[in-house]
Amino acid sequence: MSAVYLAIPLCCLAAALVIGLFGRRIGRRGAHCIAIAAVAAAFALSLLVYADVRSSGAAGGVFHTVYIWGVSGGVPMRVGFMIDALSATMMVVVTFVSLMVHIYTIGYMAGDPGYQRFFCYIALFTFAMLMLVMSDNFLQLFFGWEAVGLVSYLLIGFWYERDSAVAANLKAFLVNRVGDFGFLLGIAAVLLLFGSLDYAAVFAGAERVSEQTVSTPFGEWKWMTLVCLLLFVGAMGKSAQVPLHVWLPDSMEGPTPISALIHAATMVTAGIFVVARMSPLFEFSEAALSAVLVIGATTALFMGLVGLVQNDIKRVVAYSTLSQLGYMSVALGASAYHVAIFHLGTHAFFKALLFLAAGSVIIAMHHEQDMRRMGGLRTMLPVTYITCAVGALALSGIPPFAGFFSKDAIIIAVSHSDLPGATYAYAAVLLGVFVTAFYSFRMLFMTFHGKIRVAPELRRELRDPPGVVTWPLVALAVPSLLAGMVFFGPVMDGSFFGEAVHIAPEHGAAAALDAQRHGRSGVLLILAAILHGFVTAPFWLAVAGIAAAWYCYCEAPQLPARIASACAPLHALLRHKYGFDALYQKLFAEGSRALGGFLFRRVDAGLVDGFLVNGAARLVGRGAKTLRAVQTGLTYHYAFAMIIGLFALVTYFVWR
């Protein structure tokens, strides 16, 4: 299987290189054929690897070294793969969603002058993500981590002639640099503590260093807590957790296909994957787990609330992504790592579906994205409407759709956690269910129901886009419905991931889920979960959210404006996204410019140029001018100077 492991990422890299170097020669058709064939091959091989891992049941995973490209201080720098249930699952999810996005791109980007360049970028993006999830050491992980960030920068600013796109990709780059700095410090701390960057060596030595401490300005800390928090800072940047979340909504400036790829299965899930991969380390730090839990809960609730006031159809889905990433972080903090990855997988399907459905609407509406100018589109865009409804139901957690199984598992896990902040987290994710259902169906009702608000000249042209756009929607709708039922049992009983992630019964998550469904398996387990779901608080909160959205946007469409007027301060707070963007703009952007201006005027121009450089030059000039006045070239001047000197010398000796 070694050749297969290597072939999976190299297929995507080769496609990116061929398209990037020879894009003009091979043309548009050649570009998309090469890219789609490469990603389809990667997907097929990933399925083969996944089946092999599931059938072999290798407890610790398979480690495969490709080559060692350097040694520093006795530490080998390797390119290698760790193939276990976790990485195999991520490989399948990444390549499947990427394949759907590649196919969809043919229709969405038709006519764009950067067509070949776009296919080059998304193939390279898939390669970078595969290198990240397949890595068996921190150095390769960091390579994939940074490569994903680089390509996302290029894709968010793909339409670089737009000032807003340039600002968005710069914002994403700078915010992620903050997270990546913490991530790099965490990797450096791992090397310091363990003397190795290989996962196997680090995980094996975790217990040995778990009680070691370090002195900090804030007191004595466990090394493990410091390492985990630094690694999580990196995850906060990539997975857009508060307060490093501000870049993700602005990434909507890129084309819709890349919005689906970034938000569904690749870049933003990298942080969740890394924390799950590092579960053997996080389990030795209750403080780090508590921080993950509280930050995730805050992101889940408060970013969902911002989604309630968005009118751009893509931004609604973007804030939904922020909220769902918060749910995944809550599961990680509750030590339910397997549940976090379960939700990551189901979310990848229905979130990609919602983004691509939004793109389908945008194509039909001639690139109009404001939902206030839509309405009543369900009869004109039937395929888009049905698939978007499937995505909204899955996102809202309605049984038997995929989101129901994974989101309910998260809520159960956090309800049994005894970590500091668990009560707050439970309340946040429970209230978040209502919020999620409301904004999901607000989007559906504003776009597809109610009064038609489309310009009359556009109505005659409204129809579903071609099959190259709608077939990926149908393909993603299937796992959005079925994935939860298929994987629920194996994930919950711990057999799906095996030892790939740490499952800690002492934190309550796994034990509670097993006890609740003791004695059931297969179809009975799924039916029991669905029937139980109909009588739980999350289900009725979701139903209440859907009903409230229907009443506000179908029955009484004037009501939202009245509520916004009555709650003007709260509405303004949500519209301004709690002021994070304004604060960062004032504090960091304008503050940096003001600091730079001060340093230029006072230090660079005043001290360095004015005193050190120009001051020294002036001093030398004045000295030279004085010396030139003495050197007249007249003999009697020199004779007079000699007499004065002789007189001073005689006076000195006489005085002594």
Side-chain angles (χ1 to χ4, degrees):
M1 294 291 289
S2 299
V4 175
Y5 302 152
L6 189 58
I8 292 172
L10 287 185
C11 284
C12 303
L13 178 60
L17 290 174
V18 170
I19 298 168
L21 294 173
F22 308 106
R24 291 185 179 179
R25 295 184 183 180
I26 61 178
R28 291 170 172 254
R29 184 180 180 85
H32 70 237
C33 285
I34 291 172
I36 291 172
V39 177
F43 173 57
L45 293 174
S46 296
L47 285 176
L48 180 64
V49 170
Y50 177 81
D52 180 66
V53 169
R54 294 288 293 158
S55 61
S56 64
V62 176
F63 291 86
H64 172 67
T65 300
V66 178
Y67 67 94
I68 297 174
W69 59 270
V71 178
S72 177
V75 179
M77 301 176 185
R78 301 188 303 107
V79 175
F81 301 132
M82 179 181 180
I83 307 299
D84 58 8
L86 176 60
S87 55
T89 301
M90 290 296 297
M91 288 158 61
V92 171
V93 171
V94 168
T95 52
F96 175 72
V97 173
S98 179
L99 178 60
M100 295 301 103
V101 169
H102 274 70
I103 296 171
Y104 179 93
T105 298
I106 298 175
Y108 192 89
M109 298 296 288
D112 193 285
Y115 190 86
Q116 292 97 314
R117 179 166 56 93
F118 190 82
F119 273 100
C120 170
Y121 287 170
I122 57 176
L124 188 61
F125 198 111
T126 309
F127 159 75
M129 191 65 190
L130 287 169
M131 290 297 288
L132 189 156
V133 301
M134 296 173 70
S135 63
D136 71 343
N137 63 86
F138 283 90
L139 193 62
Q140 184 177 323
L141 171 71
F142 191 70
F143 163 77
W145 190 266
E146 291 301 304
V148 166
L150 168 65
V151 185
S152 68
Y153 170 82
L154 296 173
L155 284 163
I156 293 169
F158 181 78
W159 288 319
Y160 54 82
E161 66 277 1
R162 301 180 183 176
D163 291 341
S164 57
V166 173
N169 72 354
L170 182 60
K171 188 176 186 178
F173 180 81
L174 292 175
V175 173
N176 274 278
R177 294 291 67 75
V178 176
D180 292 355
F181 180 66
F183 193 64
L184 191 58
L185 288 177
I187 294 175
V190 166
L191 181 59
L192 174 67
L193 283 173
F194 298 95
S196 175
L197 292 174
D198 293 344
Y199 292 164
V202 172
F203 297 161
E207 188 172 1
R208 172 177 55 83
V209 302
S210 60
E211 297 302 322
Q212 294 183 19
T213 59
V214 59
S215 295
T216 73
F218 306 101
E220 199 78 8
W221 281 45
K222 284 186 177 181
W223 262 114
M224 197 63 78
T225 296
L226 189 59
V227 167
C228 291
L229 287 176
L230 287 171
L231 293 175
F232 184 61
V233 168
M236 287 171 63
K238 278 288 186 290
S239 292
Q241 299 294 288
V242 172
L244 300 182
H245 65 285
V246 292
W247 68 272
L248 193 59
D250 288 358
S251 69
M252 296 298 97
E253 290 295 335
T256 297
I258 196 54
S259 299
L261 198 57
I262 288 177
H263 287 232
T266 52
M267 181 173 171
V268 296
T269 60
I272 305 300
F273 164 79
V274 164
V275 176
R277 175 60 83 199
M278 301 304 144
S279 58
L281 304 183
F282 276 82
E283 281 306 301
F284 287 105
S285 175
E286 185 177 280
L289 287 173
S290 186
V292 174
L293 184 74
V294 171
I295 290 172
T298 303
T299 305
L301 176 59
F302 289 94
M303 293 302 106
L305 289 172
V306 177
L308 296 176
V309 299
Q310 300 300 310
N311 294 311
D312 184 314
I313 188 171
K314 286 174 64 177
R315 284 186 177 265
V316 174
V317 188
Y319 278 100
S320 165
T321 299
L322 283 169
S323 180
Q324 297 307 303
L325 289 167
Y327 273 89
M328 296 175 210
S329 290
V330 167
L332 295 171
S335 293
Y337 305 100
H338 55 314
V339 175
I341 299 300
F342 184 30
H343 194 54
L344 185 156
T346 59
H347 173 265
F349 299 128
F350 60 72
K351 187 51 58 69
L353 172 60
L354 286 171
F355 266 115
L356 298 188
S360 180
V361 172
I362 292 168
I363 293 172
M365 291 287 296
H366 292 193
H367 294 277
E368 174 61 65
Q369 296 182 199
D370 194 329
M371 296 185 296
R372 293 170 295 185
R373 298 192 180 100
M374 298 178 188
L377 300 182
R378 67 184 185 279
T379 57
M380 292 167 273
L381 309 175
V383 176
T384 304
Y385 169 63
I386 293 170
T387 53
C388 187
V390 169
L393 288 165
L395 175 59
S396 301
I398 301 298
F401 293 87
F404 158 72
F405 294 95
S406 54
K407 186 181 288 187
D408 258 28
I410 292 173
I411 295 171
I412 293 171
V414 72
S415 70
H416 288 82
S417 175
D418 56 2
L419 288 172
T423 303
Y424 162 73
Y426 179 68
V429 295
L430 204 58
L431 182 56
V433 173
F434 174 86
V435 174
T436 300
F438 189 92
Y439 67 63
S440 301
F441 278 83
R442 172 182 178 267
M443 177 187 70
L444 191 75
F445 293 144
M446 285 186 71
T447 305
F448 296 101
H449 290 259
K451 181 182 177 181
I452 299 177
R453 299 179 295 276
V454 181
E457 61 275 11
L458 184 58
R459 293 181 193 178
R460 294 186 297 271
E461 303 176 15
L462 281 174
R463 63 181 62 87
D464 273 315
V468 73
V469 171
T470 54
W471 277 113
L473 298 182
V474 176
L476 286 165
V478 174
S480 297
L481 172 61
L482 300 178
M485 290 183 279
V486 172
F487 298 109
F488 176 69
V491 169
M492 290 303 103
D493 65 20
S495 64
F496 188 83
F497 292 114
E499 297 182 11
V501 295
H502 188 88
I503 298 178
E506 64 270 17
H507 284 272
L513 291 166
D514 289 342
Q516 182 181 340
R517 302 170 180 86
H518 179 68
R520 302 188 181 101
S521 61
V523 177
L524 290 178
L525 173 66
I526 296 168
L527 289 175
I530 293 172
L531 292 174
H532 182 265
F534 286 120
V535 297
T536 59
F539 170 75
W540 290 107
L541 283 168
V543 170
I546 295 171
W550 172 80
Y551 184 77
C552 288
Y553 294 95
C554 292
E555 286 298 303
Q558 72 284 354
L559 185 59
R562 293 180 186 173
I563 296 173
S565 178
C567 305
L570 177 60
H571 186 264
L573 182 67
L574 296 178
R575 288 291 298 169
H576 289 93
K577 298 163 281 190
Y578 308 109
F580 277 105
D581 287 291
L583 174 65
Y584 293 169
Q585 178 69 22
K586 199 76 177 176
L587 184 62
F588 296 114
E590 295 181 15
S592 297
R593 285 197 292 268
L595 178 62
F598 170 80
L599 293 175
F600 170 73
R601 291 189 303 272
R602 300 298 183 186
V603 179
D604 192 38
L607 178 62
V608 177
D609 288 344
F611 180 72
L612 296 179
V613 178
N614 296 331
R618 284 193 294 269
L619 182 62
V620 171
R622 287 170 184 169
K625 185 177 180 181
T626 302
L627 291 175
R628 282 198 303 271
V630 174
Q631 301 292 331
T632 62
L634 299 175
T635 304
Y636 63 87
H637 282 174
Y638 298 146
F640 180 74
M642 292 170 65
I643 293 170
I644 293 298
L646 181 63
F647 176 76
L649 188 63
V650 170
T651 302
Y652 171 74
F653 282 110
V654 169
W655 183 260
R656 285 190 63 185

